[in-house]
Amino acid sequence: MPIREIRRYAEMVRDGTGNEETRLALLRAHRDRVRAQLEETAAHLDAIEFKVAYYAAAVGETDPDAELIAQQRRAEPSAPR
């Protein structure tokens, strides 16, 4: 959460009751941003895992972490294919 929003939230808490809806909206917006960041980071990790597995195979190795993650992704119903 940006410092400006943390300060705003803290000020609302200090002000006491009556602004709960505004606090809730602030927290929901923060949650949505964090979820979006997690999805983006997960996509980056998927690309890295693919590359690790590719290069491991190219040099005649296997990467247990990449294999495990690939298996988990295949098992997820919403996993990208």
Side-chain angles (χ1 to χ4, degrees):
M1 182 179 288
I3 296 295
R4 178 179 42 134
E5 290 183 12
I6 293 171
R7 286 182 179 148
R8 182 173 169 222
Y9 178 80
E11 183 178 312
M12 286 188 282
V13 170
R14 283 191 301 272
D15 288 345
T17 61
N19 58 25
E20 290 83 4
E21 287 183 17
T22 306
R23 284 190 246 174
L24 178 59
L26 185 68
L27 290 170
R28 283 180 171 156
H30 178 56
R31 177 188 62 191
D32 293 345
R33 285 191 306 269
V34 170
R35 284 180 174 166
Q37 290 170 344
L38 286 171
E39 288 175 14
E40 183 179 4
T41 300
H44 293 167
L45 181 57
D46 286 345
I48 293 166
E49 293 293 355
F50 174 82
K51 290 175 184 179
V52 167
Y54 175 86
Y55 286 107
V59 298
E61 295 180 9
T62 58
D63 186 288
D65 289 339
E67 291 297 321
L68 177 62
I69 289 169
Q71 289 172 3
Q72 290 171 343
R73 292 283 187 217
R74 284 191 294 269
E76 293 175 2
S78 63
R81 305 256 187 250

